[in-house]
Amino acid sequence: MDKIFLHGMKADTLIGVYDWEREHRQTLVIDLDIGIAEKQALSDDIADTVHYGEVCEAVRSSLQNQDFLLLEMLAEHIAALVLNDFKALWVRVKVVKPGILPDVKEVGVEIERSAD
């Protein structure tokens, strides 16, 4: 299996369990690794593969219209979007909430899901 990846994508959404977290949108940093079939990588036609620009746009747009309590559910949402809307074979989603805890660089979650 081959991979397409988007690392360091920033997206804003309303997330958190505490009232103070839910007062303003937060910027998250998202890494996506998207598994594709080898035949998709062998074509030179964008229509034959996962268009990473469209993935980025879809994720950002979706997060603008959603709110979440937990990073885990947000990651599940992104994984389902990539698997269902872009026909990926597999996806790894890492979501980081930078600067949320004092003296901690990154807090986040990482999940892997496969198409059924």
Side-chain angles (χ1 to χ4, degrees), residues 78-115:
I78 294 171
L81 184 148
V82 172
L83 291 172
N84 296 328
D85 293 2
F86 294 94
K87 308 299 184 233
L89 301 175
W90 165 89
V91 65
R92 176 185 296 128
V93 180
K94 178 180 175 184
V95 183
V96 174
K97 231 175 164 178
I100 196 70
L101 292 177
D103 300 320
V104 177
K105 181 180 175 183
E106 295 180 336
V107 172
V109 63
E110 183 173 19
I111 65 170
E112 293 183 27
R113 300 293 179 263
S114 298

Side-chain angles (χ1 to χ4, degrees), residues 45-60:
D45 186 344
I46 191 68
D48 291 338
T49 191
V50 174
H51 189 305
Y52 50 79
E54 291 179 3
V55 171
C56 185
E57 184 179 313
V59 169
R60 285 181 174 150

Side-chain angles (χ1 to χ4, degrees), residues 1 3 5 8-9 22 24 26-27 33 38 41 49-50 58 60-61 65 76 78 89 94 97-100 103 112:
M1 182 182 331
K3 271 194 315 193
F5 63 89
M9 176 176 53
R22 303 192 64 75
H24 304 285
Q26 297 179 53
T27 300
D33 294 301
E38 181 181 324
T49 191
V50 174
R60 285 181 174 150
S61 176
N65 299 318
E76 287 288 347
I78 294 171
L89 301 175
K94 178 180 175 184
K97 231 175 164 178
I100 196 70
D103 300 320
E112 293 183 27

Side-chain angles (χ1 to χ4, degrees), residues 7 25-26 80:
H7 290 176
R25 293 186 172 279
Q26 297 179 53

Side-chain angles (χ1 to χ4, degrees), residues 30-44:
I30 302 166
D31 291 347
L32 296 177
D33 294 301
I34 303 167
I36 61 171
E38 181 181 324
K39 66 181 178 169
Q40 291 174 283
L42 295 176
S43 170
D44 203 24

